[in-house]
Amino acid sequence: MAAQNHVQVTIPKENHAPEEDFDYSQRAQWLRAAVLGANDGLVSIASLMMGVGAVQENVKTMILTGFAGLFAGACSMAIGEFVSVYSQLDIERAQMKRDKETGGQNREHQEDGEGNTEQLPNPFQAAVASSVAFSLGAIVPILAAAFIANHKLRLAVIVAAVSLALLVFGGIGAFLGRSPMVNSCARVLIGGWMAMAITFGLTKLIGSTGLEI
């Protein structure tokens, strides 16, 4: 009886991974800078304006305070992000250099490092993303307060506008990062409320002692 020859056919794998296998951690660099920047802009400037509004009813004072916070915050976010990501970049470059010096002793790791050169963190991109996102978030409470003369109504509109914006940014971050939508939105919303309430309350307390401007 003749032996049967079995021919094994190997189907080449595709070069690109399917969409469901996409590594969403690759988005972490710019997504982290953008989402955190926007949330910081919203919460920081809204809380700052709420604090000023606790002791001052003048709309011009609130708006100027908001813009001052926007400029200072955007610069601070950009510089901080640049320094942080540049430090990470130096570490990864040093690791790649060590892998090359090992030669054949760590050939597999070296080849992986050469293939991931384009995925190195970009300090300038992270700084710009963080600064722009902070500014976009910060402008929300400023615009919300700009056209309302009544003081109490102005504060209420700031809280409402910031709450809506926090939900939007939290939802966008959850969608892009494929994280739970409800949990993400709840975290940023509750955190924003707490920041505004604490700032308003403490500033009101200090103002009641006669230290208001």
Side-chain angles (χ1 to χ4, degrees), residues 42-154:
L42 275 169
V43 176
S44 298
I45 304 307
S47 298
L48 183 62
M49 294 177 66
M50 291 293 291
V52 171
V55 295
Q56 282 286 324
E57 297 187 4
N58 191 305
V59 63
K60 183 178 180 180
T61 301
M62 292 184 65
I63 298 301
L64 289 176
T65 301
F67 273 113
L70 187 156
F71 299 145
C75 293
S76 177
M77 290 287 291
I79 295 172
E81 194 70 23
F82 179 85
V83 172
S84 175
V85 176
Y86 215 107
S87 298
Q88 179 184 352
L89 179 62
D90 288 339
I91 293 173
E92 296 193 17
R93 284 176 173 172
Q95 181 61 51
M96 292 176 63
K97 182 178 180 180
R98 286 193 294 268
D99 291 339
K100 290 181 180 180
E101 292 175 351
T102 58
Q105 299 177 2
N106 197 10
R107 178 63 60 184
E108 182 178 355
H109 193 191
Q110 179 179 350
E111 291 177 355
D112 292 341
E114 291 175 353
N116 294 330
T117 302
E118 296 181 356
Q119 298 180 6
L120 288 174
N122 188 323
F124 294 99
Q125 183 183 25
V128 171
S130 181
S131 178
V132 171
F134 184 94
S135 300
L136 291 176
I139 201 67
V140 172
I142 296 176
L143 292 178
F147 305 103
I148 300 178
N150 184 273
H151 178 62
K152 293 183 178 180
L153 179 59
R154 187 189 315 132

